[in-house]
Amino acid sequence: PAATPLPAPPPAQALAPASPSPLPPASAPADDLAGLREAVIAKLAVLNGLRPADTLPAAPSRPESQAVPQPATPPPAPAPVPAVAVALPACPASFSLAGWRGEGAFADRLPALRAALARSDQGAAEVAALAEFYAGHQLSREALAVLEVASGEWPAGALKERLERVRDVARLLLGRPVPPASPLLAEAGDCAREDLPLWRALAAAVSGDAATLARLAPRARAALREIPQDLRLGFVQRLADAVENDPATLRILLGAVRAATGLTPEQAAARNWQYARLARQEGNRADEQQYLEQALRGGGRSLPEIFARARLAALNLGRPGAEGRRAEAQINDLLRSYRHDALGEEAAIAYATRLLDQGALGAALAVADGASQASARPGMESRGARLAATALRRLLADPAPEGPPLPPADERLGLFWQYEGYATPGERGDDIRLAAIQLLLRQGLAEAARDLGQQVTPATARTPQAILLLARAEGEAAQGDPRRALALLASLP
Protein backbone atom coordinates (compact mmCIF):
# COMPACT_ATOMS: atom_id res chain seq x y z
CA PRO A 1 0.00 0.00 0.00
CA ALA A 2 0.97 3.53 -0.54
CA ALA A 3 2.79 5.05 2.35
CA THR A 4 0.98 7.78 4.30
CA PRO A 5 2.70 11.13 3.76
CA LEU A 6 4.51 12.48 6.71
CA PRO A 7 3.43 15.88 8.14
CA ALA A 8 5.34 18.98 7.07
CA PRO A 9 8.16 19.81 9.37
CA PRO A 10 7.61 22.74 11.69
CA PRO A 11 9.29 26.01 10.98
CA ALA A 12 12.83 26.33 12.02
CA GLN A 13 12.09 28.97 14.60
CA ALA A 14 9.56 26.68 16.25
CA LEU A 15 12.23 24.00 16.74
CA ALA A 16 14.65 26.47 18.31
CA PRO A 17 15.25 25.91 21.97
CA ALA A 18 13.22 28.12 24.28
CA SER A 19 15.09 31.23 25.27
CA PRO A 20 15.35 32.00 28.96
CA SER A 21 12.71 34.49 30.37
CA PRO A 22 13.99 38.02 30.59
CA LEU A 23 14.96 39.51 33.93
CA PRO A 24 12.35 41.72 35.58
CA PRO A 25 13.00 45.42 35.10
CA ALA A 26 14.46 47.48 37.91
CA SER A 27 11.11 49.07 38.57
CA ALA A 28 9.37 45.80 39.38
CA PRO A 29 9.31 46.36 43.17
CA ALA A 30 7.67 49.74 42.59
CA ASP A 31 5.13 48.17 40.27
CA ASP A 32 4.37 45.54 42.88
CA LEU A 33 3.83 48.27 45.46
CA ALA A 34 1.58 50.13 43.06
CA GLY A 35 -0.44 47.00 42.44
CA LEU A 36 -0.70 46.33 46.15
CA ARG A 37 -1.80 49.93 46.69
CA GLU A 38 -4.50 49.60 44.02
CA ALA A 39 -5.73 46.37 45.54
CA VAL A 40 -6.00 47.96 48.99
CA ILE A 41 -7.83 50.98 47.52
CA ALA A 42 -10.22 48.69 45.69
CA LYS A 43 -11.02 46.78 48.91
CA LEU A 44 -11.54 50.03 50.82
CA ALA A 45 -13.82 51.26 48.07
CA VAL A 46 -15.94 48.14 48.43
CA LEU A 47 -16.24 48.80 52.14
CA ASN A 48 -17.21 52.44 51.44
CA GLY A 49 -19.93 51.42 49.02
CA LEU A 50 -18.07 52.35 45.78
CA ARG A 51 -17.28 50.19 42.78
CA PRO A 52 -13.61 49.17 42.55
CA ALA A 53 -13.44 50.67 39.06
CA ASP A 54 -14.19 54.07 40.54
CA THR A 55 -10.83 54.07 42.28
CA LEU A 56 -8.65 52.77 39.42
CA PRO A 57 -6.45 55.31 37.67
CA ALA A 58 -7.06 56.11 34.01
CA ALA A 59 -5.19 54.24 31.30
CA PRO A 60 -1.70 55.61 30.75
CA SER A 61 -1.19 57.80 27.69
CA ARG A 62 2.43 56.76 27.21
CA PRO A 63 4.29 53.42 27.16
CA GLU A 64 4.51 51.48 30.36
CA SER A 65 8.28 51.72 30.29
CA GLN A 66 7.93 55.46 30.73
CA ALA A 67 5.00 55.36 33.11
CA VAL A 68 5.46 57.03 36.47
CA PRO A 69 3.37 55.71 39.37
CA GLN A 70 0.73 58.28 40.36
CA PRO A 71 -0.72 58.66 43.85
CA ALA A 72 -4.22 57.39 44.28
CA THR A 73 -6.94 60.02 43.87
CA PRO A 74 -9.39 59.95 46.76
CA PRO A 75 -13.02 59.50 45.79
CA PRO A 76 -14.86 62.81 45.40
CA ALA A 77 -16.91 63.90 48.36
CA PRO A 78 -20.64 63.78 47.81
CA ALA A 79 -22.14 67.17 46.98
CA PRO A 80 -23.91 68.75 49.96
CA VAL A 81 -27.67 68.76 49.76
CA PRO A 82 -28.95 72.35 50.29
CA ALA A 83 -31.26 72.75 53.23
CA VAL A 84 -34.71 73.79 52.15
CA ALA A 85 -36.45 76.14 54.57
CA VAL A 86 -40.01 75.05 55.07
CA ALA A 87 -42.29 78.07 55.46
CA LEU A 88 -44.92 77.43 58.08
CA PRO A 89 -48.46 78.47 57.23
CA ALA A 90 -49.67 81.64 58.91
CA CYS A 91 -52.26 81.34 61.63
CA PRO A 92 -54.18 83.98 63.60
CA ALA A 93 -53.63 84.62 67.27
CA SER A 94 -54.99 82.02 69.66
CA PHE A 95 -56.64 84.78 71.72
CA SER A 96 -58.37 88.09 71.05
CA LEU A 97 -58.23 91.41 72.87
CA ALA A 98 -61.51 92.54 71.35
CA GLY A 99 -63.65 91.48 74.31
CA TRP A 100 -61.49 92.87 77.09
CA ARG A 101 -63.38 96.16 77.37
CA GLY A 102 -66.73 94.37 77.39
CA GLU A 103 -70.11 95.80 76.52
CA GLY A 104 -71.67 98.85 78.13
CA ALA A 105 -70.26 101.82 79.96
CA PHE A 106 -67.18 101.61 82.16
CA ALA A 107 -69.04 102.76 85.28
CA ASP A 108 -71.68 100.05 84.81
CA ARG A 109 -69.40 97.12 84.05
CA LEU A 110 -66.73 97.70 86.71
CA PRO A 111 -69.03 97.15 89.77
CA ALA A 112 -70.38 93.96 88.20
CA LEU A 113 -66.91 92.54 87.68
CA ARG A 114 -65.77 93.47 91.17
CA ALA A 115 -68.90 91.92 92.69
CA ALA A 116 -68.34 88.70 90.74
CA LEU A 117 -64.76 88.60 92.02
CA ALA A 118 -65.90 89.08 95.60
CA ARG A 119 -68.51 86.33 95.35
CA SER A 120 -65.97 83.90 93.92
CA ASP A 121 -63.46 84.61 96.70
CA GLN A 122 -60.62 85.54 94.34
CA GLY A 123 -61.53 82.99 91.68
CA ALA A 124 -58.95 82.80 88.90
CA ALA A 125 -61.45 83.29 86.07
CA GLU A 126 -62.95 86.35 87.78
CA VAL A 127 -59.46 87.77 88.43
CA ALA A 128 -58.60 87.34 84.76
CA ALA A 129 -61.85 89.01 83.64
CA LEU A 130 -61.32 92.05 85.88
CA ALA A 131 -57.64 92.37 84.90
CA GLU A 132 -58.53 92.17 81.21
CA PHE A 133 -61.18 94.85 81.72
CA TYR A 134 -58.63 97.18 83.31
CA ALA A 135 -56.01 96.47 80.66
CA GLY A 136 -58.57 96.97 77.88
CA HIS A 137 -59.17 100.48 79.23
CA GLN A 138 -55.38 101.00 79.51
CA LEU A 139 -55.50 101.00 83.31
CA SER A 140 -52.44 98.78 83.43
CA ARG A 141 -51.42 99.52 87.02
CA GLU A 142 -54.88 98.54 88.26
CA ALA A 143 -54.69 95.33 86.21
CA LEU A 144 -51.36 94.40 87.76
CA ALA A 145 -52.62 95.19 91.24
CA VAL A 146 -55.52 92.76 90.80
CA LEU A 147 -53.17 90.06 89.51
CA GLU A 148 -50.65 90.50 92.32
CA VAL A 149 -53.29 89.74 94.96
CA ALA A 150 -54.08 86.35 93.40
CA SER A 151 -50.64 85.52 92.02
CA GLY A 152 -50.01 82.72 94.52
CA GLU A 153 -53.19 80.82 93.60
CA TRP A 154 -53.00 80.61 89.81
CA PRO A 155 -54.10 77.23 88.48
CA ALA A 156 -52.29 75.35 85.75
CA GLY A 157 -53.39 75.04 82.15
CA ALA A 158 -55.26 77.46 79.91
CA LEU A 159 -56.43 79.67 82.78
CA LYS A 160 -52.88 80.26 83.98
CA GLU A 161 -51.86 81.15 80.45
CA ARG A 162 -54.73 83.65 80.30
CA LEU A 163 -53.62 85.28 83.55
CA GLU A 164 -49.99 85.47 82.41
CA ARG A 165 -51.07 86.92 79.08
CA VAL A 166 -53.03 89.83 80.56
CA ARG A 167 -50.23 90.45 83.05
CA ASP A 168 -47.67 90.76 80.26
CA VAL A 169 -49.91 92.98 78.12
CA ALA A 170 -50.23 95.34 81.09
CA ARG A 171 -46.46 95.30 81.60
CA LEU A 172 -45.78 96.15 77.96
CA LEU A 173 -48.25 99.03 78.07
CA LEU A 174 -46.34 100.39 81.07
CA GLY A 175 -42.99 99.93 79.35
CA ARG A 176 -41.88 97.09 81.62
CA PRO A 177 -40.07 93.95 80.42
CA VAL A 178 -41.81 90.59 80.18
CA PRO A 179 -40.18 87.18 80.84
CA PRO A 180 -38.84 85.26 77.82
CA ALA A 181 -41.26 82.43 78.65
CA SER A 182 -44.27 84.74 78.30
CA PRO A 183 -47.17 83.19 76.35
CA LEU A 184 -47.17 86.35 74.23
CA LEU A 185 -43.72 85.43 72.89
CA ALA A 186 -44.26 81.68 72.49
CA GLU A 187 -44.10 80.23 68.99
CA ALA A 188 -46.78 77.89 67.67
CA GLY A 189 -45.52 74.43 66.76
CA ASP A 190 -47.24 73.99 63.39
CA CYS A 191 -47.81 77.54 62.13
CA ALA A 192 -46.46 81.10 62.25
CA ARG A 193 -48.48 83.33 64.55
CA GLU A 194 -49.51 86.54 62.82
CA ASP A 195 -49.51 88.48 66.10
CA LEU A 196 -46.06 87.35 67.25
CA PRO A 197 -44.12 90.22 65.52
CA LEU A 198 -46.21 92.75 67.47
CA TRP A 199 -45.33 91.33 70.89
CA ARG A 200 -41.69 90.90 69.94
CA ALA A 201 -41.58 94.50 68.70
CA LEU A 202 -43.08 95.72 71.99
CA ALA A 203 -40.53 93.70 73.95
CA ALA A 204 -37.75 95.20 71.80
CA ALA A 205 -39.12 98.70 72.45
CA VAL A 206 -39.03 98.11 76.21
CA SER A 207 -35.46 96.77 76.11
CA GLY A 208 -34.22 99.53 73.79
CA ASP A 209 -33.37 97.17 70.92
CA ALA A 210 -33.82 99.67 68.09
CA ALA A 211 -32.50 97.32 65.37
CA THR A 212 -35.00 94.57 66.19
CA LEU A 213 -37.81 97.09 66.44
CA ALA A 214 -37.00 98.52 63.00
CA ARG A 215 -36.87 95.03 61.49
CA LEU A 216 -40.23 93.99 62.98
CA ALA A 217 -42.05 97.29 62.37
CA PRO A 218 -43.80 96.36 59.06
CA ARG A 219 -45.15 93.05 60.41
CA ALA A 220 -46.06 94.64 63.74
CA ARG A 221 -48.07 97.27 61.88
CA ALA A 222 -49.95 94.51 60.04
CA ALA A 223 -50.72 92.75 63.33
CA LEU A 224 -52.02 95.99 64.87
CA ARG A 225 -55.00 95.89 62.50
CA GLU A 226 -56.53 93.13 64.64
CA ILE A 227 -56.13 95.10 67.90
CA PRO A 228 -59.04 97.24 69.20
CA GLN A 229 -58.51 100.91 68.49
CA ASP A 230 -57.92 102.10 72.05
CA LEU A 231 -55.29 99.43 72.71
CA ARG A 232 -53.84 99.96 69.25
CA LEU A 233 -53.24 103.63 70.05
CA GLY A 234 -51.55 102.66 73.31
CA PHE A 235 -49.32 100.08 71.64
CA VAL A 236 -48.34 102.49 68.85
CA GLN A 237 -47.48 105.20 71.36
CA ARG A 238 -45.28 102.76 73.30
CA LEU A 239 -43.53 101.64 70.10
CA ALA A 240 -43.13 105.16 68.73
CA ASP A 241 -41.64 106.49 71.97
CA ALA A 242 -38.79 103.99 71.56
CA VAL A 243 -37.93 105.20 68.02
CA GLU A 244 -35.30 107.91 67.90
CA ASN A 245 -33.65 109.38 64.79
CA ASP A 246 -35.32 106.76 62.58
CA PRO A 247 -38.14 108.52 60.72
CA ALA A 248 -38.69 105.58 58.35
CA THR A 249 -39.59 103.20 61.21
CA LEU A 250 -41.63 105.87 62.98
CA ARG A 251 -43.65 106.53 59.81
CA ILE A 252 -44.38 102.80 59.43
CA LEU A 253 -45.69 102.54 62.99
CA LEU A 254 -47.79 105.69 62.84
CA GLY A 255 -49.47 104.38 59.71
CA ALA A 256 -51.40 101.99 61.97
CA VAL A 257 -53.31 104.91 63.59
CA ARG A 258 -53.45 107.43 60.74
CA ALA A 259 -57.04 106.50 59.81
CA ALA A 260 -58.31 106.19 63.40
CA THR A 261 -61.61 108.03 63.99
CA GLY A 262 -63.72 108.95 66.98
CA LEU A 263 -60.69 109.79 69.13
CA THR A 264 -60.93 111.40 72.53
CA PRO A 265 -59.08 114.72 72.97
CA GLU A 266 -56.30 112.89 74.83
CA GLN A 267 -55.93 110.30 72.06
CA ALA A 268 -55.91 113.00 69.37
CA ALA A 269 -53.22 114.87 71.31
CA ALA A 270 -51.13 111.69 71.56
CA ARG A 271 -51.34 111.05 67.83
CA ASN A 272 -50.51 114.67 66.94
CA TRP A 273 -47.57 114.60 69.33
CA GLN A 274 -46.12 111.55 67.58
CA TYR A 275 -46.58 113.15 64.17
CA ALA A 276 -44.80 116.24 65.50
CA ARG A 277 -41.89 113.98 66.51
CA LEU A 278 -41.85 112.53 63.00
CA ALA A 279 -41.76 116.01 61.44
CA ARG A 280 -38.88 116.98 63.75
CA GLN A 281 -36.88 113.86 62.82
CA GLU A 282 -37.42 114.68 59.16
CA GLY A 283 -36.32 118.29 59.70
CA ASN A 284 -39.71 119.81 58.82
CA ARG A 285 -40.04 122.65 61.33
CA ALA A 286 -43.30 124.07 59.90
CA ASP A 287 -45.16 120.73 60.09
CA GLU A 288 -43.78 120.11 63.56
CA GLN A 289 -45.16 123.38 64.87
CA GLN A 290 -48.52 122.73 63.21
CA TYR A 291 -48.88 119.29 64.81
CA LEU A 292 -47.84 120.67 68.20
CA GLU A 293 -50.51 123.36 68.01
CA GLN A 294 -53.10 120.74 67.05
CA ALA A 295 -52.06 118.61 70.03
CA LEU A 296 -52.82 121.55 72.36
CA ARG A 297 -56.32 122.24 71.02
CA GLY A 298 -57.94 119.92 73.53
CA GLY A 299 -56.90 122.15 76.40
CA GLY A 300 -56.30 119.20 78.72
CA ARG A 301 -53.38 118.21 80.93
CA SER A 302 -52.57 114.78 79.50
CA LEU A 303 -48.95 113.74 79.21
CA PRO A 304 -48.78 114.11 75.39
CA GLU A 305 -50.18 117.66 75.70
CA ILE A 306 -47.56 118.57 78.29
CA PHE A 307 -44.87 117.16 76.01
CA ALA A 308 -46.24 119.19 73.11
CA ARG A 309 -46.30 122.34 75.24
CA ALA A 310 -42.69 121.78 76.30
CA ARG A 311 -41.54 121.24 72.73
CA LEU A 312 -43.41 124.32 71.51
CA ALA A 313 -41.73 126.36 74.24
CA ALA A 314 -38.38 124.99 73.07
CA LEU A 315 -39.11 126.15 69.52
CA ASN A 316 -39.92 129.62 70.84
CA LEU A 317 -36.75 129.93 72.92
CA GLY A 318 -34.98 131.80 70.14
CA ARG A 319 -37.72 134.36 69.62
CA PRO A 320 -36.92 137.91 70.68
CA GLY A 321 -38.69 139.86 73.36
CA ALA A 322 -41.40 138.73 75.73
CA GLU A 323 -42.26 135.57 73.78
CA GLY A 324 -38.71 134.21 74.13
CA ARG A 325 -38.59 135.05 77.83
CA ARG A 326 -41.95 133.38 78.41
CA ALA A 327 -40.77 130.24 76.62
CA GLU A 328 -37.60 130.11 78.76
CA ALA A 329 -39.68 130.47 81.93
CA GLN A 330 -41.89 127.58 80.81
CA ILE A 331 -38.88 125.37 80.15
CA ASN A 332 -37.35 126.12 83.55
CA ASP A 333 -40.68 125.40 85.23
CA LEU A 334 -40.84 122.00 83.51
CA LEU A 335 -37.26 121.27 84.55
CA ARG A 336 -38.09 121.87 88.20
CA SER A 337 -41.42 120.04 88.17
CA TYR A 338 -40.42 116.95 86.17
CA ARG A 339 -36.73 116.67 86.97
CA HIS A 340 -36.64 112.85 87.11
CA ASP A 341 -39.27 112.08 84.46
CA ALA A 342 -39.17 111.69 80.71
CA LEU A 343 -40.83 115.10 80.37
CA GLY A 344 -37.98 116.66 82.34
CA GLU A 345 -35.52 115.00 79.98
CA GLU A 346 -37.37 116.41 76.96
CA ALA A 347 -37.38 119.93 78.42
CA ALA A 348 -33.73 119.69 79.42
CA ILE A 349 -32.67 118.53 75.96
CA ALA A 350 -34.53 121.42 74.35
CA TYR A 351 -33.04 123.98 76.74
CA ALA A 352 -29.50 122.59 76.56
CA THR A 353 -29.63 122.59 72.76
CA ARG A 354 -30.66 126.23 72.80
CA LEU A 355 -27.85 127.14 75.21
CA LEU A 356 -25.39 125.23 73.05
CA ASP A 357 -26.44 127.23 70.00
CA GLN A 358 -25.97 130.45 71.96
CA GLY A 359 -22.45 129.43 72.99
CA ALA A 360 -23.26 129.18 76.71
CA LEU A 361 -21.30 125.95 77.01
CA GLY A 362 -21.08 125.84 80.80
CA ALA A 363 -24.81 126.30 81.24
CA ALA A 364 -25.48 123.76 78.46
CA LEU A 365 -23.30 121.17 80.23
CA ALA A 366 -25.15 121.71 83.51
CA VAL A 367 -28.58 121.28 81.89
CA ALA A 368 -27.44 118.29 79.82
CA ASP A 369 -26.11 116.68 82.98
CA GLY A 370 -29.57 116.96 84.53
CA ALA A 371 -31.14 115.51 81.39
CA SER A 372 -28.86 112.48 81.51
CA GLN A 373 -29.97 111.77 85.07
CA ALA A 374 -33.63 111.95 84.03
CA SER A 375 -33.34 109.41 81.22
CA ALA A 376 -35.73 106.54 81.84
CA ARG A 377 -35.05 104.47 78.71
CA PRO A 378 -33.27 101.24 79.66
CA GLY A 379 -30.58 100.01 77.31
CA MET A 380 -30.44 103.26 75.35
CA GLU A 381 -27.76 105.91 75.55
CA SER A 382 -29.05 109.04 77.22
CA ARG A 383 -29.66 111.97 74.90
CA GLY A 384 -28.42 114.22 77.67
CA ALA A 385 -25.12 112.32 77.76
CA ARG A 386 -24.71 112.70 74.01
CA LEU A 387 -25.47 116.40 74.24
CA ALA A 388 -22.92 116.83 77.05
CA ALA A 389 -20.28 115.13 74.88
CA THR A 390 -21.08 117.57 72.06
CA ALA A 391 -20.68 120.49 74.46
CA LEU A 392 -17.30 119.13 75.60
CA ARG A 393 -16.09 118.91 72.00
CA ARG A 394 -17.03 122.52 71.37
CA LEU A 395 -15.57 123.58 74.69
CA LEU A 396 -12.12 122.13 73.99
CA ALA A 397 -11.85 122.77 70.26
CA ASP A 398 -10.62 125.98 68.73
CA PRO A 399 -13.46 128.50 68.33
CA ALA A 400 -15.03 128.78 64.89
CA PRO A 401 -14.57 132.20 63.23
CA GLU A 402 -18.33 132.77 63.03
CA GLY A 403 -19.18 131.30 66.43
CA PRO A 404 -19.18 132.89 69.88
CA PRO A 405 -15.82 133.07 71.66
CA LEU A 406 -14.87 130.26 74.01
CA PRO A 407 -14.41 130.84 77.74
CA PRO A 408 -10.86 131.32 79.13
CA ALA A 409 -8.62 128.25 79.14
CA ASP A 410 -8.71 127.74 82.93
CA GLU A 411 -12.52 127.84 82.92
CA ARG A 412 -12.64 125.40 80.03
CA LEU A 413 -10.34 122.99 81.85
CA GLY A 414 -12.41 123.29 85.01
CA LEU A 415 -15.57 122.38 83.07
CA PHE A 416 -13.77 119.46 81.45
CA TRP A 417 -12.67 118.02 84.78
CA GLN A 418 -16.19 118.49 86.14
CA TYR A 419 -17.91 116.73 83.23
CA GLU A 420 -15.16 114.51 81.81
CA GLY A 421 -17.29 111.46 82.53
CA TYR A 422 -19.29 112.36 79.42
CA ALA A 423 -16.22 111.88 77.22
CA THR A 424 -17.50 108.52 76.02
CA PRO A 425 -15.11 105.63 76.84
CA GLY A 426 -13.40 104.11 73.83
CA GLU A 427 -12.51 105.58 70.47
CA ARG A 428 -15.67 107.67 70.33
CA GLY A 429 -14.40 109.86 73.15
CA ASP A 430 -10.73 109.96 72.15
CA ASP A 431 -11.15 113.20 70.19
CA ILE A 432 -12.32 114.91 73.39
CA ARG A 433 -9.35 113.55 75.33
CA LEU A 434 -6.84 114.58 72.66
CA ALA A 435 -8.28 118.11 72.60
CA ALA A 436 -7.99 118.25 76.39
CA ILE A 437 -4.36 117.04 76.22
CA GLN A 438 -3.56 119.77 73.72
CA LEU A 439 -5.13 122.43 75.95
CA LEU A 440 -3.28 121.08 79.02
CA LEU A 441 0.05 121.23 77.18
CA ARG A 442 -0.71 124.76 76.07
CA GLN A 443 -1.26 125.71 79.71
CA GLY A 444 1.98 124.04 80.83
CA LEU A 445 0.24 121.13 82.60
CA ALA A 446 2.28 118.35 81.00
CA GLU A 447 1.94 115.99 83.98
CA ALA A 448 -1.86 116.10 83.78
CA ALA A 449 -1.66 115.72 80.00
CA ARG A 450 0.53 112.62 80.41
CA ASP A 451 -1.94 111.06 82.87
CA LEU A 452 -4.86 111.77 80.54
CA GLY A 453 -2.94 110.28 77.63
CA GLN A 454 -3.03 106.89 79.35
CA GLN A 455 -6.81 106.81 78.77
CA VAL A 456 -6.47 107.07 74.98
CA THR A 457 -7.27 103.78 73.25
CA PRO A 458 -4.42 101.92 71.48
CA ALA A 459 -6.00 102.37 68.04
CA THR A 460 -6.13 106.15 68.43
CA ALA A 461 -2.68 106.28 70.06
CA ARG A 462 -1.15 105.00 66.81
CA THR A 463 -2.35 107.97 64.76
CA PRO A 464 0.21 110.71 63.95
CA GLN A 465 -1.77 113.41 65.78
CA ALA A 466 -1.95 111.34 68.97
CA ILE A 467 1.72 110.29 68.73
CA LEU A 468 2.86 113.92 68.60
CA LEU A 469 0.73 114.91 71.61
CA LEU A 470 1.64 111.82 73.69
CA ALA A 471 5.35 112.18 72.91
CA ARG A 472 5.28 115.86 73.83
CA ALA A 473 3.50 115.12 77.12
CA GLU A 474 6.02 112.34 77.87
CA GLY A 475 8.95 114.60 77.11
CA GLU A 476 7.75 117.65 79.03
CA ALA A 477 6.33 115.97 82.13
CA ALA A 478 8.55 115.91 85.19
CA GLN A 479 7.90 112.19 85.66
CA GLY A 480 8.06 111.46 81.92
CA ASP A 481 10.54 109.27 80.08
CA PRO A 482 12.38 110.96 77.17
CA ARG A 483 13.36 107.57 75.75
CA ARG A 484 9.70 106.61 75.46
CA ALA A 485 9.01 109.94 73.76
CA LEU A 486 11.76 109.22 71.20
CA ALA A 487 10.41 105.71 70.69
CA LEU A 488 6.97 107.14 69.93
CA LEU A 489 8.42 109.62 67.43
CA ALA A 490 10.45 106.93 65.69
CA SER A 491 7.32 105.66 63.93
CA LEU A 492 6.67 109.02 62.23
CA PRO A 493 8.29 110.14 58.94
Side-chain angles (χ1 to χ4, degrees):
T4 305
L6 295 176
Q13 57 184 359
L15 299 176
S19 60
S21 58
L23 294 176
S27 59
D31 292 341
D32 292 341
L33 290 177
L36 179 60
R37 170 174 49 83
E38 292 172 3
V40 171
I41 291 175
K43 291 180 179 180
L44 289 176
V46 172
L47 293 177
N48 291 331
L50 299 174
R51 291 179 297 113
D54 294 338
T55 63
L56 295 179
S61 59
R62 52 183 176 179
E64 293 185 3
S65 60
Q66 301 177 5
V68 178
Q70 298 294 328
T73 304
V81 179
V84 179
V86 179
L88 295 176
C91 58
S94 58
F95 62 95
S96 174
L97 282 69
W100 283 15
R101 291 173 62 92
E103 301 292 337
F106 178 88
D108 296 334
R109 182 163 173 76
L110 178 60
L113 290 173
R114 295 187 66 89
L117 178 61
R119 288 193 298 267
S120 68
D121 192 18
Q122 297 293 328
E126 289 74 14
V127 169
L130 181 57
E132 289 172 351
F133 176 75
Y134 278 134
H137 287 273
Q138 298 190 61
L139 299 173
S140 301
R141 289 184 175 82
E142 288 77 2
L144 291 178
V146 171
L147 293 169
E148 287 173 0
V149 173
S151 60
E153 304 174 3
W154 286 4
L159 193 53
K160 179 181 180 181
E161 183 176 336
R162 180 184 174 188
L163 290 164
E164 291 177 343
R165 184 187 303 127
V166 65
R167 176 202 64 192
D168 293 342
V169 168
R171 284 179 175 176
L172 291 173
L173 284 169
L174 290 173
R176 300 178 185 176
V178 297
S182 168
L184 295 178
L185 305 177
E187 295 186 3
D190 54 351
C191 62
R193 289 173 47 193
E194 295 176 346
D195 63 323
L196 188 56
L198 171 61
W199 308 118
R200 287 180 173 174
L202 286 164
V206 172
S207 63
D209 189 351
T212 300
L213 176 56
R215 177 173 54 84
L216 295 173
R219 289 185 291 164
R221 173 183 169 175
L224 282 165
R225 290 196 297 261
E226 306 300 325
I227 304 297
Q229 179 169 288
D230 289 348
L231 282 175
R232 187 192 318 155
L233 288 164
F235 288 146
V236 169
Q237 185 169 350
R238 178 60 58 192
L239 291 168
D241 284 343
V243 178
E244 185 181 2
N245 299 325
D246 186 1
T249 299
L250 185 56
R251 182 173 291 279
I252 290 173
L253 295 172
L254 293 182
V257 296
R258 179 184 291 276
T261 58
L263 303 181
T264 65
E266 181 178 348
Q267 291 172 340
R271 183 173 65 176
N272 285 319
W273 160 246
Q274 295 297 347
Y275 272 108
R277 290 183 63 239
L278 175 61
R280 177 176 53 177
Q281 292 185 18
E282 293 178 339
N284 194 331
R285 184 62 61 88
D287 283 358
E288 180 188 3
Q289 185 149 357
Q290 180 181 356
Y291 281 119
L292 291 172
E293 291 171 353
Q294 291 178 2
L296 296 175
R297 287 178 182 174
R301 295 291 296 175
S302 65
L303 193 58
E305 291 171 286
I306 299 175
F307 270 102
R309 189 173 292 108
R311 179 59 186 168
L312 199 56
L315 293 178
N316 293 330
L317 276 173
R319 296 185 179 272
E323 190 172 5
R325 291 193 296 271
R326 183 167 57 252
E328 186 170 354
Q330 290 176 346
I331 289 292
N332 283 318
D333 181 58
L334 290 169
L335 285 174
R336 289 190 296 269
S337 303
Y338 302 95
R339 179 176 178 84
H340 300 293
D341 296 327
L343 180 58
E345 180 190 18
E346 189 74 25
I349 291 297
Y351 192 31
T353 302
R354 176 61 184 166
L355 292 171
L356 200 60
D357 295 339
Q358 293 176 341
L361 299 177
L365 278 167
V367 176
D369 178 56
S372 69
Q373 305 303 320
S375 177
R377 297 174 299 168
M380 298 179 68
E381 184 182 7
S382 166
R383 290 183 293 167
R386 292 202 302 268
L387 197 60
T390 302
L392 284 175
R393 287 184 175 91
R394 296 190 187 181
L395 184 73
L396 298 169
D398 294 331
E402 68 278 3
L406 293 176
D410 54 348
E411 182 179 343
R412 292 157 64 191
L413 287 175
L415 288 171
F416 169 72
W417 280 321
Q418 183 176 356
Y419 298 106
E420 65 175 329
Y422 292 109
T424 312
E427 294 185 45
R428 290 172 55 194
D430 279 342
D431 60 334
I432 298 177
R433 283 179 280 276
L434 291 179
I437 291 172
Q438 188 171 12
L439 183 59
L440 288 167
L441 291 173
R442 197 179 302 158
Q443 295 301 112
L445 301 172
E447 201 68 46
R450 179 174 176 268
D451 293 340
L452 184 58
Q454 297 176 0
Q455 301 179 23
V456 177
T457 61
T460 303
R462 289 191 292 268
T463 61
Q465 177 193 6
I467 289 174
L468 287 172
L469 289 174
L470 296 177
R472 183 180 167 190
E474 193 71 41
E476 294 183 10
Q479 302 296 325
D481 185 358
R483 292 173 298 180
R484 184 174 182 274
L486 289 173
L488 289 171
L489 293 173
S491 62
L492 295 181

